[in-house]
Amino acid sequence: MTEINETRLPGVGTLHAFGCHSGDRIGVISHHAGRREVVIYDPDDPDRVSETATLTPDEARVLADLLGGTSVTERLDDLRQEIHGLAIDWLPISRHSPYAGRTIGDTALRTRTGVSIVALVRGGKPLPAPGPAQALLVDDTAVVVGTADGINAAALLLAGGP
Amino acid sequence: MILAVGPGTATLLVELGAVLVALALLGRLAARFGISSIPLYLLAGLAVGEGGIVELVTAREFIESGAQIGVILLLLLLGLEYTGTELTTALRGHAPAGAVDLALNFTPGLMLGVILGWDMRAALLLGGITYISSSGIIAKVLSDLGNTGNRETPVVLAILVTEDLVMALYLPLMAGLLIGGSAVGISLEIAVAIAVVVTALGIAIKFGHRISAVVFDRSDENLLLSLLGVALLVAGIAEHLQASAAVGAFLVGIALNGPAEHGARQVLGPLRDLFAALFFAFFGLQINPADLPPALAIALGLAVVTAATKLATGWWSARRAGIDPPGRLRAGTTLIARGEFSIVIAGIAVAEGIESDLGPLAAAYVLILAIGGPLLVRVADPIAHRLSRRSRATAAV
């Protein structure tokens, strides 16, 4: 994890700065008044800011989005996709799915992709450990566990792909 | 219904309007050349005062009252810039820098006053004038040059914070000395005033959020009236307790935080700009331009000495914080500017009439350093740049 230096600037706000792997140093000044300044330090004089861009709070949010959201949401993504080398995903049963209205057994998902349906979510309520006779309805969400490739194949299958 | 405007009112409006138009034109001129408007407002005041180009007759009284409000608003908005925790952390980390700043920059003014054979109180005021840097001018220089994020900037800001806190004790101390009386009486007055300030500061830091919640109102109009009313009330009470109106306003500013602080900056900012301009003009107005040339040589000498001592202060403090020579040079030159608070202190001397030479000297001194300080920062920037190139080149070899 990158080490971020936080400095209070009395009367101005707070400065957060860190050194990048490339050797560049970058910082963000959060002014009390709400605006943000993104600053880049001079490679010749690491105490000095050489470039400054001033952003309104809205613009700062846009920039944060463009840079890939916050590390908090990134970590949530990690949690969802990698547990003990397995992947978990939520696959919707759409109106166009060939298996809407048919049973889990009909899909032969485990045999064809190695992926198991461990639960269904129907109308916001979970149906854990569904048997092969359980019907899949439109707007159900199937919670599936398997390898990443298997889940891709299962998603195509349930959506009605080849 | 009375709609008739008497001849007195008409003259007042014309004079006041003319003064504001003149200040506006000078402000534009200052912006064009990238300098602080404070010295130009001073010059405008000189031009319309006694011995000036034209002498104001009717508007003088209004400008005088406006100037009082100007000081209060200047200090109120300065206090708003800081939160209680910022004050205490700045003091904890940078107390040695603050002490060096006080020793190096108070002494030259004090010494000159003594050498000139002035009253001790006037010499102490001159020490205050040379000690205190202009946070207004410095904040503008930092943001204009894009230096806010620099690593030496926290050092510069911490020094300014300690100066403002020292001023909160210095002003009541001077107020006590200026009243005079027996040594015991003065000491008692000062002790009471300082105890009041310290207690009020404690209350402001501890209960600031509650005070803010009471004062805050969604309507800008109500917020403006509450804030201005509270600030003037506290300032007036502080003045009565010999703790100085300016310090009272500063403490109100520190106490305000959260939405009240944000709102205060929005509704009081324009008001501050108006009345502070009147304050600077009023200071100039009290000085006879004929007194300025004789004071100029001494002021220039004092400016050179105290520019050097501020440079040394910034250099030493930045080095202590692990900043390289280019950053030390920037910190030192940034601190040189003197402005609004030197005028506030000089204004006390002029109002009390304790040393007639102090007003013109202070005016000339601030004229020189309010313009010269920011110029020196700009001059130092390329020098610092070359310095960093060279040190990098030697490092590479």
Side-chain angles (χ1 to χ4, degrees):
Chain A
M1 190 64 195
T2 315
E3 192 184 324
I4 302 173
N5 292 321
E6 182 187 300
T7 317
R8 305 278 284 167
L9 301 173
V12 179
T14 314
L15 166 69
H16 291 98
F18 61 92
C20 306
H21 193 65
S22 60
D24 295 327
R25 195 172 167 77
I26 193 165
V28 173
I29 305 172
S30 311
H31 286 261
H32 287 321
R35 72 176 188 284
R36 299 279 189 275
E37 276 176 332
V38 178
V39 297
I40 297 171
Y41 288 85
D42 187 344
D44 286 334
D45 177 358
D47 294 334
R48 176 177 172 270
V49 167
S50 58
E51 301 297 335
T52 305
T54 307
L55 308 173
T56 64
D58 280 344
E59 290 158 353
R61 227 164 289 135
V62 170
L63 182 64
D65 276 349
L66 289 175
L67 292 175
T70 64
S71 55
V72 178
T73 56
E74 263 170 42
R75 226 167 296 161
L76 280 177
D77 280 347
D78 290 348
L79 189 72
R80 178 159 73 183
Q81 290 190 345
E82 276 170 46
I83 295 176
H84 303 307
L86 277 179
I88 304 181
D89 212 339
W90 281 252
L91 302 179
I93 309 295
S94 78
R95 215 154 32 85
H96 309 291
S97 169
Y99 297 101
R102 296 170 66 187
T103 65
I104 289 177
D106 288 341
T107 64
L109 207 62
R110 197 177 307 176
T111 334
R112 291 159 72 184
T113 65
V115 168
S116 303
I117 297 181
V118 294
L120 286 178
V121 181
R122 179 173 296 164
K125 284 185 191 145
L127 303 171
Q134 175 70 52
L136 295 170
L137 300 182
V138 173
D139 288 339
D140 279 0
T141 301
V143 182
V144 294
V145 174
T147 62
D149 286 345
I151 286 179
N152 284 338
L156 278 173
L157 207 73
L158 290 179
Chain B
M1 227 165 99
I2 303 164
L3 270 177
V5 173
T9 314
T11 323
L12 174 69
L13 292 178
V14 167
E15 283 192 1
L16 204 56
V19 167
L20 291 182
V21 167
L23 293 179
L25 291 176
L26 290 170
R28 282 167 195 233
L29 196 69
R32 170 69 60 85
F33 290 103
I35 60 171
S36 159
S37 46
I38 295 173
L40 296 186
Y41 293 161
L42 280 184
L43 288 175
L46 280 168
V48 295
E50 196 187 331
I53 305 164
V54 279
E55 200 179 329
L56 288 184
V57 197
T58 326
R60 192 185 164 110
E61 207 175 312
F62 180 86
I63 293 177
E64 181 166 6
S65 314
Q68 310 273 353
I69 298 174
V71 177
I72 288 166
L73 288 175
L74 266 174
L75 270 289
L76 175 65
L77 273 102
L78 177 74
L80 278 185
E81 298 289 321
Y82 304 130
T83 62
T85 43
E86 281 179 347
L87 292 179
T88 41
T89 42
L91 266 191
R92 219 174 293 141
H94 298 271
V100 166
D101 181 35
L102 181 61
L104 284 183
N105 296 291
F106 192 88
T107 317
L110 179 69
M111 294 278 282
L112 180 66
V114 171
I115 291 168
L116 290 174
W118 286 0
D119 181 310
M120 196 59 201
R121 294 169 299 176
L124 282 170
L125 286 173
L126 191 57
I129 291 168
T130 58
Y131 163 60
I132 194 142
S133 295
S134 163
S135 4
I137 295 177
I138 290 173
K140 190 164 184 314
V141 165
L142 285 174
S143 87
D144 281 358
L145 297 184
N147 282 349
T148 314
N150 286 12
R151 279 190 54 219
E152 75 276 3
T153 299
V155 177
V156 171
L157 294 176
I159 289 176
L160 294 180
V161 173
T162 53
E163 285 184 1
D164 297 334
L165 279 178
V166 167
M167 191 140 112
L169 297 175
Y170 168 83
L171 288 178
L173 191 135
M174 287 315 298
L177 284 178
L178 287 168
I179 295 163
S182 68
V184 179
I186 293 176
S187 320
L188 202 68
E189 288 269 12
I190 292 173
V192 169
I194 287 177
V196 168
V197 169
V198 171
T199 316
L201 188 62
I203 293 173
I205 291 174
K206 194 123 193 272
F207 299 105
H209 56 284
R210 284 206 205 142
I211 300 170
S212 307
V214 172
V215 173
F216 183 68
D217 194 288
R218 273 174 199 288
S219 138
D220 278 356
E221 187 183 340
N222 294 343
L223 184 64
L224 173 64
L225 292 174
S226 337
L227 287 167
L228 196 60
V230 168
L232 292 180
L233 259 177
V234 173
I237 293 170
E239 188 76 25
H240 259 292
L241 296 170
Q242 311 302 343
S244 132
V247 172
F250 179 62
L251 293 174
V252 171
I254 289 175
L256 291 176
N257 52 40
E261 176 198 334
H262 191 70
R265 232 177 274 167
Q266 274 181 338
V267 297
L268 293 178
L271 215 55
R272 186 262 321 260
D273 295 343
L274 167 66
F275 285 107
L278 288 181
F279 165 70
F280 297 125
F282 180 69
F283 182 76
L285 196 145
Q286 291 166 290
I287 289 160
N288 191 330
D291 294 337
L292 217 48
L296 210 57
I298 300 179
L300 194 63
L302 189 62
V304 170
V305 171
T306 55
T309 51
K310 274 289 176 189
L311 181 62
T313 304
W315 184 282
W316 184 84
S317 312
R319 197 181 67 176
R320 202 178 145 264
I323 310 291
D324 287 335
R328 293 177 210 166
L329 184 63
R330 280 192 301 269
T333 47
T334 304
L335 284 169
I336 290 172
R338 313 293 205 284
E340 62 277 27
F341 301 119
S342 299
I343 300 290
V344 169
I345 296 171
I348 299 171
V350 173
E352 297 284 333
I354 53 167
E355 176 59 62
S356 57
D357 290 344
L358 199 153
L361 176 61
Y365 176 77
V366 170
L367 281 178
I368 294 166
L369 285 186
I371 298 175
L375 280 180
L376 284 173
V377 185
R378 283 174 207 266
V379 171
D381 218 31
I383 298 175
H385 208 60
R386 227 170 305 149
L387 217 65
S388 61
R389 284 271 155 80
R390 198 178 309 151
S391 65
R392 198 172 147 90
T394 28
V397 172

